[in-house]
Short mmCIF file of all heavy atoms in Angstrom, two decimals:
data_model
loop_
_atom_site.label_atom_id
_atom_site.label_comp_id
_atom_site.label_asym_id
_atom_site.label_seq_id
_atom_site.Cartn_x
_atom_site.Cartn_y
_atom_site.Cartn_z
N SER C 253 101.12 78.22 60.51
CA SER C 253 102.47 78.25 61.09
C SER C 253 102.44 78.43 62.60
O SER C 253 103.42 78.11 63.29
CB SER C 253 103.30 79.35 60.45
OG SER C 253 102.82 80.64 60.83
N LYS C 254 101.37 78.95 63.13
CA LYS C 254 101.24 79.18 64.58
C LYS C 254 100.65 77.98 65.32
O LYS C 254 100.64 77.96 66.55
CB LYS C 254 100.34 80.39 64.83
CG LYS C 254 100.86 81.70 64.27
CD LYS C 254 99.85 82.82 64.49
CE LYS C 254 100.32 84.14 63.90
NZ LYS C 254 99.29 85.21 64.05
N MET C 255 100.16 77.01 64.57
CA MET C 255 99.41 75.92 65.18
C MET C 255 100.31 74.76 65.58
O MET C 255 101.27 74.42 64.87
CB MET C 255 98.32 75.42 64.22
CG MET C 255 97.28 76.48 63.89
SD MET C 255 96.14 75.97 62.57
CE MET C 255 95.22 74.67 63.40
N THR C 256 99.98 74.16 66.71
CA THR C 256 100.65 72.93 67.11
C THR C 256 100.07 71.77 66.30
O THR C 256 99.01 71.89 65.66
CB THR C 256 100.43 72.64 68.60
OG1 THR C 256 99.03 72.39 68.81
CG2 THR C 256 100.88 73.82 69.46
N LEU C 257 100.75 70.64 66.31
CA LEU C 257 100.24 69.47 65.61
C LEU C 257 98.87 69.08 66.15
O LEU C 257 97.97 68.74 65.38
CB LEU C 257 101.22 68.30 65.77
CG LEU C 257 100.80 66.97 65.15
CD1 LEU C 257 100.55 67.12 63.65
CD2 LEU C 257 101.86 65.90 65.40
N GLU C 258 98.69 69.15 67.47
CA GLU C 258 97.40 68.80 68.06
C GLU C 258 96.30 69.74 67.58
O GLU C 258 95.17 69.30 67.33
CB GLU C 258 97.49 68.84 69.59
CG GLU C 258 98.34 67.74 70.21
CD GLU C 258 99.80 68.14 70.34
OE1 GLU C 258 100.22 69.10 69.63
OE2 GLU C 258 100.51 67.51 71.13
N GLU C 259 96.61 71.01 67.45
CA GLU C 259 95.60 71.97 66.98
C GLU C 259 95.24 71.73 65.52
O GLU C 259 94.08 71.89 65.12
CB GLU C 259 96.11 73.40 67.19
CG GLU C 259 96.11 73.82 68.65
CD GLU C 259 96.83 75.13 68.89
OE1 GLU C 259 97.75 75.47 68.08
OE2 GLU C 259 96.51 75.82 69.87
N LYS C 260 96.23 71.37 64.72
CA LYS C 260 95.93 71.04 63.32
C LYS C 260 95.01 69.83 63.24
O LYS C 260 94.04 69.81 62.48
CB LYS C 260 97.23 70.75 62.56
CG LYS C 260 98.17 71.93 62.42
CD LYS C 260 99.50 71.47 61.84
CE LYS C 260 100.56 72.55 61.89
NZ LYS C 260 101.89 72.04 61.46
N ILE C 261 95.32 68.81 64.03
CA ILE C 261 94.49 67.60 64.02
C ILE C 261 93.08 67.92 64.50
O ILE C 261 92.10 67.38 63.99
CB ILE C 261 95.15 66.51 64.89
CG1 ILE C 261 96.45 66.04 64.23
CG2 ILE C 261 94.20 65.33 65.09
CD1 ILE C 261 97.30 65.15 65.12
N GLY C 262 92.96 68.83 65.46
CA GLY C 262 91.64 69.23 65.94
C GLY C 262 90.76 69.79 64.85
O GLY C 262 89.53 69.61 64.85
N GLN C 263 91.37 70.48 63.89
CA GLN C 263 90.59 71.03 62.78
C GLN C 263 90.01 69.94 61.88
O GLN C 263 89.09 70.20 61.11
CB GLN C 263 91.46 71.98 61.95
CG GLN C 263 91.79 73.28 62.64
CD GLN C 263 90.55 74.05 63.02
OE1 GLN C 263 89.75 74.42 62.16
NE2 GLN C 263 90.37 74.30 64.30
N LEU C 264 90.53 68.74 62.00
CA LEU C 264 90.09 67.64 61.14
C LEU C 264 89.05 66.76 61.82
O LEU C 264 88.72 65.69 61.33
CB LEU C 264 91.31 66.77 60.76
CG LEU C 264 92.57 67.51 60.31
CD1 LEU C 264 93.63 66.52 59.89
CD2 LEU C 264 92.25 68.49 59.19
N ASN C 265 88.50 67.25 62.92
CA ASN C 265 87.62 66.45 63.77
C ASN C 265 86.22 67.05 63.79
O ASN C 265 86.05 68.23 64.11
CB ASN C 265 88.21 66.41 65.18
CG ASN C 265 87.46 65.48 66.10
OD1 ASN C 265 86.90 64.49 65.65
ND2 ASN C 265 87.45 65.80 67.38
N GLN C 266 85.22 66.26 63.45
CA GLN C 266 83.83 66.74 63.47
C GLN C 266 82.98 65.84 64.36
O GLN C 266 83.00 64.61 64.21
CB GLN C 266 83.23 66.75 62.05
CG GLN C 266 81.81 67.31 62.03
CD GLN C 266 81.17 67.23 60.65
OE1 GLN C 266 80.99 66.14 60.13
NE2 GLN C 266 80.84 68.36 60.07
N TYR C 267 82.24 66.48 65.25
CA TYR C 267 81.33 65.75 66.13
C TYR C 267 79.91 66.26 65.94
O TYR C 267 79.69 67.42 65.57
CB TYR C 267 81.70 65.96 67.60
CG TYR C 267 82.96 65.28 68.07
CD1 TYR C 267 83.81 65.91 68.97
CD2 TYR C 267 83.30 64.00 67.62
CE1 TYR C 267 84.97 65.29 69.42
CE2 TYR C 267 84.46 63.38 68.06
CZ TYR C 267 85.29 64.03 68.95
OH TYR C 267 86.43 63.41 69.39
N THR C 268 78.95 65.40 66.24
CA THR C 268 77.56 65.83 66.27
C THR C 268 77.23 66.43 67.62
O THR C 268 77.91 66.15 68.62
CB THR C 268 76.62 64.65 65.97
OG1 THR C 268 75.28 65.16 65.79
CG2 THR C 268 76.61 63.64 67.10
N ALA C 269 76.20 67.26 67.67
CA ALA C 269 75.75 67.85 68.93
C ALA C 269 75.25 66.74 69.86
O ALA C 269 74.57 65.83 69.42
CB ALA C 269 74.64 68.86 68.68
N ARG C 270 75.61 66.85 71.14
CA ARG C 270 75.17 65.85 72.10
C ARG C 270 74.32 66.43 73.21
O ARG C 270 73.95 65.74 74.14
CB ARG C 270 76.40 65.14 72.72
CG ARG C 270 77.18 64.33 71.71
CD ARG C 270 78.35 63.61 72.38
NE ARG C 270 79.44 63.48 71.42
CZ ARG C 270 80.71 63.35 71.77
NH1 ARG C 270 81.05 63.33 73.04
NH2 ARG C 270 81.64 63.23 70.85
N TRP C 271 74.07 67.73 73.14
CA TRP C 271 73.15 68.33 74.10
C TRP C 271 72.49 69.53 73.45
O TRP C 271 72.92 70.02 72.42
CB TRP C 271 73.87 68.72 75.40
CG TRP C 271 74.73 69.95 75.32
CD1 TRP C 271 74.35 71.23 75.56
CD2 TRP C 271 76.12 70.02 74.98
NE1 TRP C 271 75.41 72.09 75.39
CE2 TRP C 271 76.50 71.38 75.05
CE3 TRP C 271 77.09 69.06 74.64
CZ2 TRP C 271 77.80 71.80 74.78
CZ3 TRP C 271 78.38 69.49 74.38
CH2 TRP C 271 78.73 70.84 74.45
N GLU C 272 71.43 70.01 74.05
CA GLU C 272 70.72 71.17 73.54
C GLU C 272 71.57 72.41 73.81
O GLU C 272 71.71 72.84 74.96
CB GLU C 272 69.35 71.30 74.23
CG GLU C 272 68.53 72.50 73.80
CD GLU C 272 68.40 72.61 72.28
OE1 GLU C 272 67.84 71.70 71.67
OE2 GLU C 272 68.87 73.63 71.74
N MET C 273 72.12 72.96 72.75
CA MET C 273 73.09 74.04 72.90
C MET C 273 72.50 75.29 73.54
O MET C 273 73.23 76.14 74.04
CB MET C 273 73.69 74.39 71.53
CG MET C 273 74.60 73.31 70.96
SD MET C 273 76.11 73.11 71.90
CE MET C 273 76.86 71.74 71.01
N THR C 274 71.19 75.45 73.48
CA THR C 274 70.58 76.64 74.07
C THR C 274 70.33 76.47 75.56
O THR C 274 69.90 77.41 76.22
CB THR C 274 69.26 76.96 73.36
OG1 THR C 274 68.40 75.81 73.45
CG2 THR C 274 69.50 77.31 71.92
N GLY C 275 70.57 75.28 76.08
CA GLY C 275 70.32 75.02 77.49
C GLY C 275 71.56 75.23 78.34
O GLY C 275 72.58 75.75 77.89
N PRO C 276 71.50 74.76 79.59
CA PRO C 276 72.63 74.92 80.50
C PRO C 276 73.79 74.02 80.11
O PRO C 276 73.65 73.12 79.27
CB PRO C 276 72.05 74.50 81.86
CG PRO C 276 70.93 73.57 81.51
CD PRO C 276 70.35 74.10 80.23
N ALA C 277 74.95 74.26 80.72
CA ALA C 277 76.14 73.44 80.45
C ALA C 277 75.85 71.99 80.79
O ALA C 277 75.11 71.69 81.74
CB ALA C 277 77.32 73.95 81.28
N PRO C 278 76.39 71.06 80.03
CA PRO C 278 76.08 69.65 80.23
C PRO C 278 76.66 69.10 81.53
O PRO C 278 77.67 69.60 82.04
CB PRO C 278 76.72 68.97 79.02
CG PRO C 278 77.82 69.89 78.63
CD PRO C 278 77.33 71.27 78.92
N THR C 279 76.02 68.05 82.03
CA THR C 279 76.49 67.40 83.25
C THR C 279 76.90 65.95 83.00
O THR C 279 77.63 65.38 83.78
CB THR C 279 75.41 67.44 84.33
OG1 THR C 279 74.21 66.83 83.81
CG2 THR C 279 75.10 68.87 84.74
N GLY C 280 76.41 65.33 81.93
CA GLY C 280 76.76 63.95 81.62
C GLY C 280 78.21 63.84 81.19
O GLY C 280 78.80 64.79 80.66
N SER C 281 78.80 62.67 81.39
CA SER C 281 80.23 62.49 81.10
C SER C 281 80.53 62.69 79.62
O SER C 281 81.51 63.36 79.26
CB SER C 281 80.68 61.11 81.57
OG SER C 281 79.93 60.09 80.91
N SER C 282 79.71 62.10 78.73
CA SER C 282 79.95 62.23 77.29
C SER C 282 79.84 63.68 76.84
O SER C 282 80.69 64.18 76.10
CB SER C 282 78.96 61.35 76.51
OG SER C 282 79.09 61.56 75.13
N GLU C 283 78.79 64.35 77.31
CA GLU C 283 78.59 65.74 76.93
C GLU C 283 79.70 66.63 77.50
O GLU C 283 80.17 67.56 76.84
CB GLU C 283 77.22 66.23 77.43
CG GLU C 283 76.04 65.60 76.74
CD GLU C 283 75.65 64.25 77.35
OE1 GLU C 283 76.37 63.78 78.26
OE2 GLU C 283 74.64 63.67 76.91
N GLN C 284 80.11 66.34 78.72
CA GLN C 284 81.17 67.13 79.35
C GLN C 284 82.48 66.97 78.60
O GLN C 284 83.24 67.93 78.42
CB GLN C 284 81.34 66.71 80.80
CG GLN C 284 82.23 67.66 81.61
CD GLN C 284 81.62 69.04 81.77
OE1 GLN C 284 80.41 69.16 81.90
NE2 GLN C 284 82.44 70.08 81.72
N GLU C 285 82.76 65.75 78.12
CA GLU C 285 83.97 65.51 77.34
C GLU C 285 83.96 66.34 76.06
O GLU C 285 84.97 66.93 75.68
CB GLU C 285 84.09 64.02 77.01
CG GLU C 285 84.48 63.14 78.19
CD GLU C 285 84.45 61.67 77.83
OE1 GLU C 285 84.27 61.36 76.63
OE2 GLU C 285 84.60 60.84 78.73
N LEU C 286 82.82 66.37 75.38
CA LEU C 286 82.72 67.16 74.16
C LEU C 286 82.91 68.64 74.46
O LEU C 286 83.62 69.35 73.72
CB LEU C 286 81.35 66.93 73.49
CG LEU C 286 81.06 67.80 72.26
CD1 LEU C 286 82.12 67.63 71.18
CD2 LEU C 286 79.67 67.48 71.70
N LEU C 287 82.32 69.12 75.54
CA LEU C 287 82.47 70.51 75.93
C LEU C 287 83.95 70.86 76.10
O LEU C 287 84.42 71.88 75.58
CB LEU C 287 81.71 70.77 77.23
CG LEU C 287 81.83 72.17 77.84
CD1 LEU C 287 81.18 73.20 76.93
CD2 LEU C 287 81.21 72.21 79.23
N GLU C 288 84.68 70.00 76.79
CA GLU C 288 86.09 70.27 77.02
C GLU C 288 86.90 70.16 75.74
O GLU C 288 87.87 70.92 75.54
CB GLU C 288 86.63 69.30 78.08
CG GLU C 288 86.05 69.49 79.47
CD GLU C 288 86.20 70.92 79.97
OE1 GLU C 288 87.29 71.52 79.78
OE2 GLU C 288 85.23 71.46 80.54
N GLU C 289 86.54 69.25 74.84
CA GLU C 289 87.26 69.12 73.57
C GLU C 289 87.06 70.37 72.71
O GLU C 289 88.00 70.84 72.06
CB GLU C 289 86.78 67.88 72.81
CG GLU C 289 87.29 66.57 73.40
CD GLU C 289 86.97 65.39 72.52
OE1 GLU C 289 87.55 65.27 71.43
OE2 GLU C 289 86.12 64.57 72.93
N ILE C 290 85.85 70.92 72.71
CA ILE C 290 85.61 72.16 71.96
C ILE C 290 86.47 73.28 72.52
O ILE C 290 87.14 74.02 71.78
CB ILE C 290 84.11 72.54 72.00
CG1 ILE C 290 83.27 71.50 71.27
CG2 ILE C 290 83.91 73.92 71.39
CD1 ILE C 290 81.77 71.70 71.45
N LYS C 291 86.48 73.41 73.83
CA LYS C 291 87.20 74.50 74.49
C LYS C 291 88.72 74.36 74.36
O LYS C 291 89.45 75.35 74.45
CB LYS C 291 86.78 74.58 75.96
CG LYS C 291 85.33 75.01 76.14
CD LYS C 291 84.82 74.80 77.55
CE LYS C 291 85.47 75.74 78.54
NZ LYS C 291 84.85 75.62 79.89
N SER C 292 89.18 73.14 74.13
CA SER C 292 90.62 72.92 74.02
C SER C 292 91.11 72.88 72.58
O SER C 292 92.29 72.61 72.32
CB SER C 292 91.01 71.62 74.73
OG SER C 292 90.42 70.51 74.08
#
């Protein structure tokens, strides 16, 4: 009941890892997009 439509749809989205998660923050465009999608 607290979720927006966009947040509900986000729960239905699965991506594969695109960078080594134990390393530094990504710099490539694809990896950076995934980082921002996770955070949003």
